[in-house]
Amino acid sequence: MVPIYREESREKVLEVALDLKRRLLQAGLRVHLDDRDQYTPGYKFHEWELKGVPYRVELGPKDLEAGEAVLASRLGGKERLSLEALPALLPDKLAAFHQALYQRALDFQRAHTHKVDTYEAFKEAVQEGFALAFHCGDKACEKAIQEETTATTRCVPFEAEPEEGFCVRCGRPSAYGKRVVFAKAY
Ligand SMILES: [Zn+2]
């Protein structure tokens, strides 16, 4: 929660902020009221965003007069909500936020994962993400892949389709009965 005030409105804004904080805590939410006077609201917005806080509540004198606060999502977008309703609304919003963040990560992972069957395609795929490829299971072959592409095996996925094929580098039969995930380590 970031209170926004001038000298003359400070006390009033903080009073409402403390009351809202109390009600949010009662609703079982984790909340922090950033009442540091030495930083501007903009500085605080930025700092909390970097920390990964999903929702920021902005409380200004005009919002309070209207009985509202501004709720800003880390995923983008702001909305005005009534102070009264906020504690009841936030748990669902947080669940939706979690789901949206997970979906975004999953979409990103899928968009950067490629099934490859040639070593050329393999090299290209690990430049920008994950390669799903067959491997012979031989340590020396795996080491050669690492030397040639800097990519290493990340995992043999539990849920992958059973599939047979030939090692993407050396052409010997696959050792795992399914494709293996390769990527560069960072
Ligand atoms: Zn091999």
Side-chain angles (χ1 to χ4, degrees):
M1 296 171 60
V2 178
I4 302 163
Y5 48 76
R6 293 176 191 284
E7 190 65 42
E8 64 274 16
S9 53
R10 183 177 186 279
E11 203 176 326
K12 179 87 187 88
V13 171
L14 283 180
E15 188 186 313
V16 180
L18 279 168
D19 179 64
L20 179 62
K21 179 183 174 183
R22 185 182 52 77
R23 291 191 299 121
L24 291 172
L25 287 171
Q26 270 174 2
L29 296 159
R30 202 170 141 205
V31 50
H32 179 79
L33 172 60
D34 189 347
D35 58 0
R36 295 174 297 172
D37 283 328
Q38 69 271 39
Y39 297 113
T40 63
Y43 180 93
K44 294 176 183 178
F45 293 174
H46 186 62
E47 186 176 301
W48 289 105
E49 203 154 308
L50 284 181
K51 285 185 200 284
V53 166
Y55 283 107
R56 176 177 74 236
V57 180
E58 304 171 6
L59 291 161
K62 285 217 173 90
D63 304 320
L64 299 187
E65 261 171 48
E68 291 177 329
V70 172
L71 186 71
S73 166
R74 184 164 186 267
L75 290 172
K78 285 188 179 194
E79 55 185 327
R80 310 184 75 86
L81 294 167
S82 96
L83 288 169
E84 202 52 48
L86 251 184
L89 292 175
L90 266 173
D92 281 352
K93 287 186 174 291
L94 282 162
F97 179 94
H98 176 84
Q99 186 55 38
L101 207 64
Y102 176 75
Q103 192 59 47
R104 195 172 76 168
L106 195 62
D107 290 346
F108 181 87
Q109 190 207 61
R110 285 182 179 151
H112 292 81
T113 301
H114 300 288
K115 277 190 184 181
V116 294
D117 292 310
T118 68
Y119 203 36
E120 280 314 303
F122 177 92
K123 287 180 196 166
E124 213 168 285
V126 295
Q127 284 305 320
E128 62 128 357
F130 302 94
L132 284 168
F134 293 111
H135 190 255
C136 61
D138 178 10
K139 286 281 164 219
C141 178
E142 199 176 325
K143 195 158 186 295
I145 290 180
Q146 184 175 7
E147 282 164 10
E148 288 157 14
T149 70
T150 73
T152 51
T153 44
R154 302 283 99 200
C155 71
V156 182
F158 279 126
E159 289 165 16
E161 294 281 310
E163 214 180 333
E164 292 299 336
F166 298 96
C167 179
V168 73
R169 182 179 166 274
C170 72
R172 282 176 288 174
S174 155
Y176 303 98
K178 56 176 81 166
R179 289 171 187 267
V180 178
V181 180
F182 283 87
K184 296 186 181 192
Y186 290 97

